[in-house]
Amino acid sequence: MVNKAVGKLNIADVNIVLLGKGNVGNAWLSLFEEQKARYADTITVNLVAVANSTKYLLNLAGLSVSEFNDFSDNAITGNLSALTEVVTNAKLDNIVVIDVTASQQITHSYPEFASLGWHIISANKIPGTVSSERYKRLISLLKSNACYWGINATVGAALPIQASLVELIQAGDRILSISGVFSGSLSYLLVKYDGKTSFTDLIKQAREAGFTEPDPRDDLSGADVQKKLLILARLAGYIINLGDIEVQPLLPEKLLKGSLADFWDSKDQIDSYMAEQFSAAEQENKKLVYQAKVSFVDKVALTSVGLTSLSSSNAVTQLSPTDNVFTLKTDFYNENPLIIRGPGAGATVTATAVNIDLNKFVTQLAIANEINNHKNN
Amino acid sequence: MVNKAVGKLNIADVNIVLLGKGNVGNAWLSLFEEQKARYADTITVNLVAVANSTKYLLNLAGLSVSEFNDFSDNAITGNLSALTEVVTNAKLDNIVVIDVTASQQITHSYPEFASLGWHIISANKIPGTVSSERYKRLISLLKSNACYWGINATVGAALPIQASLVELIQAGDRILSISGVFSGSLSYLLVKYDGKTSFTDLIKQAREAGFTEPDPRDDLSGADVQKKLLILARLAGYIINLGDIEVQPLLPEKLLKGSLADFWDSKDQIDSYMAEQFSAAEQENKKLVYQAKVSFVDKVALTSVGLTSLSSSNAVTQLSPTDNVFTLKTDFYNENPLIIRGPGAGATVTATAVNIDLNKFVTQLAIANEINNHKNN
């Protein structure tokens, strides 16, 4: 939609530091060479460092595929502050940190990244969910240092929920509510569950397929959904805190306590609890969903996260397993809401969400260069 | 998601020429003052001209609300070429033409706009559906003159279908198919139709509510859906022609011929045709939808537009009246597609789609300025 006669940039290169080398990190690396080639006409994008929690691999001229594919052989021992120091000393232009970890510790480094003028792209949900004081300080620091912060990958992977929210607000719309199913794993469980088979067996099956965390209670607790709801509420302009969002876990609290072995031992209780919930919903011709919802009334954000039952004609109940769905009610989408549905988790779509943010950043630089050239001619 | 310390621009103002003063034009004008205020910190956005097919209103310093609200009193007689000449002579910076007409004639002026270095935002579907030769020439002209062309408002109003398509492709995804319901008026008719009441009465009702064109056969012919499918196929990289998309109208051709009076006189034939279609679908537990679809197989785009019946569990049949729905199958969204649903027509959401494009353009300029300032410091 943008047509630009963009020549090779004189604004210097983009230099990427990738933090995290798990599923998403590896998926992103597998897409990187093609992505780099896509930029090649306008800008040189180098991957200068890849790091996990204890080691990093560095090449200021840009890591080759064979270098980062042999990460474990080539990486040297060193933590994030060692890496930050080396990269800082190299005085590179346009540094972009891509954080695909779930690290609390890296979150603490965000203010430092901003102070150094580094741009950030996060799949990590923690930096967007810190206390409102820390959040506001970070935003202000990023702003005063002209840093880009892309958080597209934090909610719904590459689904266009965050862009839609922001674009509508910037075009004069007002968000009235955001609701839906924000967890691919809980979506899988509840779409698959038929009220007859064992819910615990279904959890085991989802865990084996890689749809839940190693400890499935991390999903069942609703804490992940709570974070996503907070991120969307903040994008809508309401700087509330995690503690403002009350969460009812998918299963009663007492069944989520103790060791993982205790949890599996509660099989009968879990199965009968879920069978009851299912049957109560079925009697009203409804379906079980683990729903997150925030309504904005004047300056107040009213939130809820928990198991509920909704009519089977509701868009929130019409899902394929692992689908997320987001329903936006706004001034302009009032009678019929705007609905976005599809897989909201998975290594490739999360890496794609990161690349969509990276593209926006690179495009900005390329267009700035083009406008400059026109101005100077 | 972008945090920029953007000061007042030194790159000069943005100057808008609005072509079209119907429903969408008026909705856009009613949003403009607020939108202008939103830009005020970074850039001055002036509306310098408003034109309909025979008259225009001009103020090089920026039209005030009272000026454009009294368009009919204040406008002077003059066609597009007269207006183009005046604006050209004024040597303004960053001219953006917003075309919210459905004019074939204005389409002919697009190459001139591009040659003049004017940026374009279109709600008009014709410029995106001209022959592939003309289309390629226009794209090339826009490119060599570094012109922005926003076409967000041409399909699905402000629904994020076009941005999703483009962003996924730019992030390395490959589009396998695009399908759905692209017409709010046909969606209204088929969602409301119960197989019992008169379909013709329903058309009259939709026409009175402003959901169809004055001659409803313009909707029933499928020509509007055909254009939208072409625009999306071209965004996916397939520069095919309108003639490559075969269209089966909602009603048999013979019922769409002759005068409008003839059409209403065919009431009994129309009603019994639709009742038959409905009943045949119902027997298979399916619902009627007017579906557009393009599948991409190697370098070939396989298209279809017509009435069909689909399972009631299909996302394409789960609509509220006037909803559009777009289903994207891609390499990355293969097992579960990406689905976007909501009102795809209407003056306010179409004006919003225009503003989303305008915001992208203004943001580009503002960021270019910021990068410049940093570079020069």
Side-chain angles (χ1 to χ4, degrees):
Chain A
M1 294 198 264
V2 181
N3 299 284
K4 286 286 166 188
V6 177
K8 196 81 171 177
L9 264 195
N10 52 21
I11 274 177
D13 302 345
V14 168
N15 292 292
I16 297 175
V17 173
L18 176 69
L19 303 181
K21 215 187 164 296
N23 283 341
V24 177
N26 286 329
W28 186 84
L29 286 170
S30 74
L31 296 171
F32 177 68
E33 279 304 296
E34 263 191 56
Q35 202 59 33
K36 183 177 166 146
R38 226 166 267 125
Y39 301 132
D41 285 345
T42 49
I43 195 161
T44 304
V45 176
N46 286 323
L47 174 64
V48 294
V50 178
N52 67 16
S53 55
T54 56
K55 295 172 100 179
Y56 67 80
L57 182 65
L58 182 85
N59 184 342
L60 295 174
L63 289 161
S64 67
V65 179
S66 64
E67 278 178 298
F68 61 67
N69 277 350
D70 291 331
F71 177 82
S72 45
D73 290 342
N74 296 331
I76 61 169
T77 302
N79 60 15
L80 180 58
S81 65
L83 175 60
T84 304
E85 200 182 328
V86 183
V87 174
T88 306
N89 290 340
K91 300 196 185 302
L92 302 169
D93 290 304
N94 303 316
I95 293 167
V96 180
V97 175
I98 295 181
D99 174 11
V100 292
T101 72
S103 163
Q104 179 82 58
Q105 202 205 325
I106 290 175
T107 304
H108 290 298
S109 297
Y110 272 49
E112 187 184 1
F113 299 154
S115 304
L116 291 164
W118 295 6
H119 309 279
I120 310 173
I121 294 173
S122 311
N124 187 353
K125 281 184 280 290
I126 302 173
T129 57
V130 294
S131 73
S132 53
E133 289 72 23
R134 280 177 68 192
Y135 182 78
K136 283 183 206 164
R137 270 205 303 277
L138 177 61
I139 292 288
S140 147
L141 207 52
L142 288 160
K143 212 166 179 167
S144 59
N145 289 286
C147 297
Y148 175 95
W149 189 21
I151 57 169
N152 188 35
T154 58
V155 183
L159 296 175
I161 171 61
Q162 309 200 34
S164 296
L165 251 179
V166 171
E167 285 175 0
L168 286 173
I169 292 170
Q170 287 176 346
D173 203 357
R174 196 169 46 121
I175 311 298
L176 304 176
S177 72
I178 308 165
S179 62
V181 170
F182 299 179
S183 161
S185 50
L186 300 186
S187 159
Y188 178 90
L189 292 173
L190 293 175
V191 172
K192 287 262 183 184
Y193 186 54
D194 62 0
K196 297 179 199 91
T197 53
S198 155
F199 194 73
T200 324
D201 288 348
L202 197 58
I203 298 176
K204 282 186 181 148
Q205 188 186 310
R207 183 170 177 262
E208 275 156 30
F211 295 141
T212 74
E213 296 295 316
D215 183 342
R217 294 175 301 176
D218 293 343
D219 299 289
L220 299 167
S221 73
D224 179 65
V225 174
Q226 183 192 30
K227 286 198 191 81
K228 289 173 178 168
L229 188 65
L230 182 66
I231 290 172
L232 296 184
R234 285 181 173 180
L235 279 183
Y238 290 75
I239 310 301
I240 57 172
N241 283 301
L242 260 190
D244 298 328
I245 302 174
E246 206 178 314
V247 176
Q248 178 211 342
L250 181 64
L251 296 170
E253 296 274 11
K254 61 174 181 174
L255 297 175
L256 299 175
K257 281 182 182 154
S259 69
L260 189 53
D262 293 338
F263 174 71
W264 296 122
D265 284 346
S266 315
K267 182 176 168 53
D268 291 348
Q269 281 172 276
I270 295 172
D271 290 349
S272 65
Y273 174 79
M274 285 306 293
E276 272 168 41
Q277 302 295 316
F278 187 93
S279 138
E282 201 176 33
Q283 274 167 29
E284 299 178 33
N285 204 15
K286 288 180 172 176
K287 286 185 183 176
L288 290 178
V289 283
Y290 193 78
Q291 190 189 36
K293 180 164 187 171
V294 56
S295 303
F296 304 107
V297 181
D298 296 324
K299 307 226 160 175
V300 181
L302 305 168
T303 62
S304 65
V305 173
L307 188 66
T308 186
S309 55
L310 294 173
S311 149
S312 49
S313 70
N314 191 312
V316 171
T317 65
Q318 300 159 345
L319 300 182
S320 302
T322 78
D323 267 359
N324 282 15
V325 61
F326 299 92
T327 301
L328 283 188
K329 279 217 168 207
T330 73
D331 273 348
F332 300 162
Y333 290 101
N334 199 335
E335 276 178 51
N336 300 1
L338 166 56
I339 298 165
I340 296 169
R341 170 182 150 188
T348 305
V349 283
T350 305
T352 300
V354 166
N355 280 336
I356 289 172
D357 275 343
L358 182 61
N359 290 347
K360 283 184 183 164
F361 176 75
V362 171
T363 304
Q364 281 176 12
L365 275 185
I367 290 171
N369 184 54
E370 172 59 21
I371 292 173
N372 272 337
N373 288 347
H374 262 249
K375 218 178 128 194
N376 298 334
N377 284 346
Chain B
M1 293 202 262
V2 181
N3 299 283
K4 287 284 165 189
V6 177
K8 196 81 171 180
L9 264 196
N10 53 22
I11 274 177
D13 303 343
V14 169
N15 293 292
I16 296 175
V17 173
L18 177 68
L19 302 181
K21 214 184 164 297
N23 284 339
V24 177
N26 287 328
W28 185 84
L29 285 170
S30 74
L31 295 170
F32 177 67
E33 280 303 297
E34 264 192 55
Q35 203 57 34
K36 182 178 167 147
R38 225 166 268 125
Y39 301 132
D41 286 344
T42 48
I43 194 160
T44 303
V45 176
N46 287 322
L47 175 63
V48 294
V50 177
N52 67 18
S53 55
T54 56
K55 295 170 100 180
Y56 67 81
L57 182 65
L58 181 87
N59 184 342
L60 295 174
L63 290 161
S64 67
V65 178
S66 63
E67 278 177 298
F68 61 67
N69 278 350
D70 292 331
F71 178 82
S72 45
D73 290 342
N74 296 330
I76 60 168
T77 303
N79 61 14
L80 181 57
S81 66
L83 175 60
T84 305
E85 198 182 330
V86 182
V87 174
T88 307
N89 290 339
K91 300 197 184 302
L92 302 169
D93 290 304
N94 303 315
I95 294 166
V96 180
V97 175
I98 296 181
D99 174 11
V100 292
T101 71
S103 163
Q104 178 82 58
Q105 201 205 326
I106 290 175
T107 305
H108 289 299
S109 297
Y110 273 49
E112 186 183 2
F113 299 154
S115 303
L116 290 165
W118 295 7
H119 309 280
I120 310 172
I121 295 174
S122 311
N124 187 354
K125 280 185 281 290
I126 303 173
T129 57
V130 295
S131 74
S132 54
E133 288 72 23
R134 280 177 69 191
Y135 182 79
K136 283 183 204 161
R137 269 204 304 274
L138 177 61
I139 293 288
S140 146
L141 207 51
L142 289 160
K143 212 166 180 170
S144 58
N145 289 286
C147 298
Y148 176 94
W149 189 22
I151 56 169
N152 188 34
T154 57
V155 183
L159 296 174
I161 170 61
Q162 309 200 32
S164 296
L165 251 179
V166 171
E167 285 174 0
L168 287 173
I169 292 170
Q170 286 176 347
D173 202 357
R174 196 170 48 121
I175 311 299
L176 304 176
S177 71
I178 309 165
S179 62
V181 170
F182 299 179
S183 161
S185 50
L186 300 187
S187 160
Y188 177 90
L189 292 173
L190 293 175
V191 172
K192 288 263 183 181
Y193 186 54
D194 62 1
K196 295 178 200 91
T197 53
S198 154
F199 193 74
T200 324
D201 288 348
L202 197 58
I203 298 176
K204 281 185 180 151
Q205 188 186 310
R207 184 172 176 260
E208 274 155 32
F211 294 140
T212 73
E213 296 296 316
D215 184 341
R217 294 175 299 176
D218 292 343
D219 299 288
L220 300 168
S221 72
D224 180 64
V225 174
Q226 183 192 31
K227 286 198 191 81
K228 289 173 178 169
L229 188 65
L230 181 65
I231 290 172
L232 296 183
R234 286 181 173 179
L235 279 182
Y238 290 75
I239 311 300
I240 57 171
N241 283 301
L242 260 190
D244 298 327
I245 302 174
E246 207 179 315
V247 176
Q248 178 211 342
L250 181 63
L251 296 171
E253 295 274 10
K254 62 175 180 171
L255 297 174
L256 298 175
K257 281 182 182 154
S259 69
L260 189 53
D262 292 340
F263 174 71
W264 296 123
D265 283 347
S266 316
K267 182 176 168 53
D268 290 348
Q269 279 171 278
I270 296 172
D271 290 348
S272 65
Y273 174 80
M274 286 305 294
E276 272 170 42
Q277 303 295 315
F278 189 92
S279 142
E282 202 176 32
Q283 274 166 29
E284 298 178 35
N285 205 15
K286 289 181 173 176
K287 286 185 181 175
L288 290 179
V289 284
Y290 193 78
Q291 191 190 35
K293 181 164 187 173
V294 57
S295 303
F296 304 108
V297 182
D298 296 322
K299 308 225 159 174
V300 181
L302 305 169
T303 61
S304 64
V305 173
L307 187 66
T308 186
S309 55
L310 295 172
S311 148
S312 48
S313 70
N314 190 312
V316 170
T317 66
Q318 300 159 346
L319 301 183
S320 302
T322 78
D323 267 0
N324 282 15
V325 61
F326 300 91
T327 301
L328 283 188
K329 279 219 166 204
T330 73
D331 272 348
F332 300 163
Y333 290 102
N334 199 336
E335 276 177 51
N336 300 2
L338 167 56
I339 298 165
I340 296 169
R341 168 182 151 188
T348 305
V349 285
T350 306
T352 301
V354 166
N355 280 336
I356 289 172
D357 276 343
L358 182 60
N359 290 346
K360 284 186 182 161
F361 176 74
V362 171
T363 304
Q364 281 176 12
L365 275 185
I367 290 171
N369 184 54
E370 173 59 21
I371 291 174
N372 255 341
N373 288 347
H374 263 249
K375 217 179 131 197
N376 298 334
N377 283 345

